[in-house]
Each structure stands twice: as structure tokens, then as C-alpha cells.
Amino acid sequence: MIYFLYGDNDYQIDQRVAELKAQFVTKYGADNVATVDVNKTSGSEVMTQLTAMSLLTQHQMIIVKAFTSVSDNWTLLENNVDYIPDETVAVLTDVKSLSKVRNIVITRTFKKLKSAGAKLEKYDLVKSRDLRLWLAGEVKRRALYMDNTAQSKLLQLTAGEENQQARLDIELGKLALLNKPITVDLVNEYVEASPDTNAFAIFGAAVAGRTGRAVELLHQLRDSGEDPNRFLGLLASQELALAAAITGAKVKLSTYQLAQARDLAYELGGASRQLTKLRHITTVMAELDGQIKLAKPDEAWLRIEAALAKLAN
């Protein structure tokens, strides 16, 4: 049996691999499971292991994560999938590449996998509106006491992560160790806001004219040791999200980030006011980008602070 797991949600893919492994181990034992590192093993060597019959056991599981991250391995898989023994449970994963490119080799390999009876399972990132339901389910499954307010705060602090579901899983694990009811105060104390969340709070406050609040948050971020160039990149992402919200341009950003940007655009006023403000923001950010490249860290933070004041105008 061949399992081919793909999609953007590496967290769910890892969870599925662990589930398949646990099922196999229960039935045939851990000694019959092998995990192959594609960074240390050539594609041809991987295929040799997948297609070989074990001399020690009738049933074996071979796990190969991100096998198709090496482009040549698509062709190897297409040419050899029919030779993988039925007694071998092959678990192959392909994280993210399929969402970015689909060429004729990938298409042929997919058809070959389907004809060979492989189970093709796609795992997309969970949409923001579905994360709340997933989080509530996880809280219940782990027998944690965490009210809706605390859950909302956790969602807020982890928003903007490339895979927020994976970050939530980590934070729930940490909070569970406290062995006490999880309140908003505990979430604020133990969970650090994602960089994107901080960037939006600062950018949004500045654009909306709340300069004092923006500068206060900026100083907190600066004192935490954040790199000004990295923060500038996060600000640029917020600028892009706002531009998409105002103009309707298609961009690949998180649903949560775009929703925040739409709320901010609405706060700016009507369509004409939004476009005027966007042109001003674009000019200020372009000037800031040029200044930061030549500045030392202390000067860079001063330049960013000055730009925030300009954004409010």
C-alpha cells in the first residue's frame, strides 16, 4: 500500500504520518518501520529500499518525508511505483511544492500513483474561521479548562504564522504543563505574539492615526531585540495586505491577515480616501526602505519611528 501525502499543511501531514505509523506498529511491531532521510540518501537508493522485498519480515513500513522535494525523484517514482511490493506500506510526503508548481512530470506521476492504487491525501492549511472550532476541539480532547476568551486571545497572539495550527499545537502543549485553568492572563504571560501580529498592531495603529500607541508598541518590540530589517519586511507584508484589501489585488497571504487589512481599510473611510491613503503609505514605505538599507540598528529604529509618524498624516 502506498500513501502519498501532500499540501501546504505540514502539521497535519506529520500528524497523519504519526497515525499511520502507530497503526502499523500496533499490528506488526516497531522493528519493521524504517524512516529514510532524503537529505542523506539518493533518490535511486530510496527507490531500491521501496521496491526491495524484506528478507526478515513479510510486512514493512518505509517512511520517506519530502521525497519529491528533489525534482528528479518525481520521474523515479513514476517509473518504479509499480514495483513497490503490496506487503510494503510506503508513506511518501510532498510538502508545499505541489501548491506552487504542477508540470507534466508531476501530472504523469499523479496518474501513475492513482493507477497503482495509491492513496492520495491532500492537506491544506486550515482557514482562520475553522481554526476556532479546531482549537475548541483540541482543548476538549486534552481535557484542559480554557474559556472562550482565553481561546480568542491565543488565536490572536498566534495569528500571522505560516501555519497557525502548528503554532497553536505547540502553545497548547506548553499551557497544559501549567496544570491549572488557562486564563487570558496566563495566555498573555506564556504565549509570545507572532511577529506578524506585532507588525499589524503597529502598522494599523500608525495608519489609523494612533501614533502614540504605535510608537509605544514599537519601543517594546525594539527592546525585545527584534532586528529592524526583519521588522521592515513584516511592515511591507502589512502594506501589501492593505493594498490588496483596497484594490482587490490577488495576493498569497493568510486569510486572517487579509481580514485584518480589510477592517483597517474600512476604518480609513470611503474608496477615494482609501486610495489616497494607500498612495501616501506606499511613498512613505519606499522612502523608509531606502533609508534602512544604509542605517545602523539604532538609526534604523529612529527612521522607522519617524515613518510611523508620517503614516498617520
Side-chain angles (χ1 to χ4, degrees):
M1 173 57 69
I2 303 169
Y3 292 88
F4 189 83
L5 317 179
Y6 66 102
D8 288 330
N9 198 327
D10 50 350
Y11 167 76
Q12 287 193 349
I13 288 174
D14 286 343
Q15 292 291 303
R16 179 58 170 153
V17 171
E19 178 186 17
L20 290 170
K21 181 179 178 180
Q23 291 172 356
F24 183 90
V25 168
T26 299
K27 196 170 184 179
Y28 300 111
D31 292 339
N32 297 322
V33 178
T35 300
V36 182
D37 187 344
V38 294
N39 295 315
K40 299 178 181 179
T41 312
S42 69
S44 58
E45 291 174 331
V46 173
M47 293 313 307
T48 297
Q49 293 188 50
L50 287 170
T51 56
M53 292 289 294
S54 174
L55 299 176
L56 302 177
T57 180
Q58 183 179 1
H59 297 279
Q60 63 177 342
M61 170 178 273
I62 300 177
I63 300 170
V64 190
K65 293 186 177 182
F67 174 59
T68 45
S69 60
V70 180
S71 59
D72 290 345
N73 288 352
W74 283 103
T75 301
L76 283 171
L77 183 57
E78 178 192 4
N79 293 336
N80 291 279
V81 65
D82 287 333
Y83 301 107
I84 298 176
D86 293 337
E87 296 80 12
T88 295
V89 178
V91 181
L92 311 175
T93 74
D94 174 76
V95 180
K96 298 181 181 177
S97 68
L98 278 180
S99 64
K100 298 177 181 178
V101 62
R102 177 67 73 90
N103 58 35
I104 190 169
V105 175
I106 294 176
T107 300
R108 284 204 318 259
T109 305
F110 249 62
K111 289 182 178 178
K112 193 72 173 181
L113 284 165
K114 288 180 180 178
S115 67
K119 292 189 175 182
L120 309 178
E121 301 179 8
K122 185 180 181 183
Y123 295 90
D124 293 318
L125 291 174
V126 177
K127 296 184 182 300
S128 298
R129 62 176 177 269
D130 297 325
L131 273 176
R132 182 175 295 276
L133 292 174
W134 176 85
L135 177 59
E138 279 296 294
V139 168
K140 183 177 180 180
R141 185 182 70 82
R142 300 178 190 221
L144 302 176
Y145 178 79
M146 185 179 192
D147 61 27
N148 290 335
T149 305
Q151 291 181 36
S152 294
K153 174 56 68 173
L154 182 59
L155 287 166
Q156 176 189 342
L157 291 176
T158 56
E161 295 283 349
E162 183 176 5
N163 190 338
Q164 189 180 1
Q165 188 179 22
R167 173 76 190 281
L168 286 168
D169 178 71
I170 293 171
E171 298 302 339
L172 281 179
K174 288 163 49 179
L175 292 168
L177 296 176
L178 298 175
N179 198 28
K180 63 173 77 171
I182 301 169
T183 63
V184 171
D185 290 339
L186 286 177
V187 172
N188 280 322
E189 181 178 355
Y190 288 97
V191 179
E192 183 178 351
S194 72
D196 277 296
T197 300
N198 285 326
F200 176 79
I202 294 170
F203 179 79
V207 170
R210 298 186 291 273
T211 308
R213 177 57 176 165
V215 171
E216 178 187 358
L217 293 172
L218 181 70
H219 288 175
Q220 293 175 5
L221 189 66
R222 177 200 61 194
D223 295 342
S224 72
E226 178 64 82
D227 177 75
N229 285 288
R230 180 171 179 272
F231 178 66
L232 179 62
L234 295 174
L235 281 182
S237 176
Q238 303 304 327
E239 177 194 2
L240 178 63
L242 182 61
I246 292 174
T247 66
K250 299 293 185 181
V251 294
K252 193 168 184 179
L253 295 172
S254 73
T255 305
Y256 185 85
Q257 188 175 5
L258 290 172
Q260 285 184 313
R262 284 192 290 270
D263 290 342
L264 178 58
Y266 180 79
E267 190 175 349
L268 296 178
S272 177
R273 167 63 178 161
Q274 290 177 11
L275 287 171
T276 300
K277 187 71 173 182
L278 179 60
R279 285 192 289 269
H280 174 65
I281 292 170
T282 301
T283 300
V284 173
M285 292 297 293
E287 292 175 352
L288 178 61
D289 183 61
Q291 294 168 346
I292 291 291
K293 290 178 180 177
L294 303 175
K296 294 180 179 179
D298 288 344
E299 181 187 353
W301 285 116
L302 291 174
R303 296 281 189 182
I304 292 173
E305 185 172 333
L308 293 178
K310 291 180 182 179
L311 289 179
N313 297 329

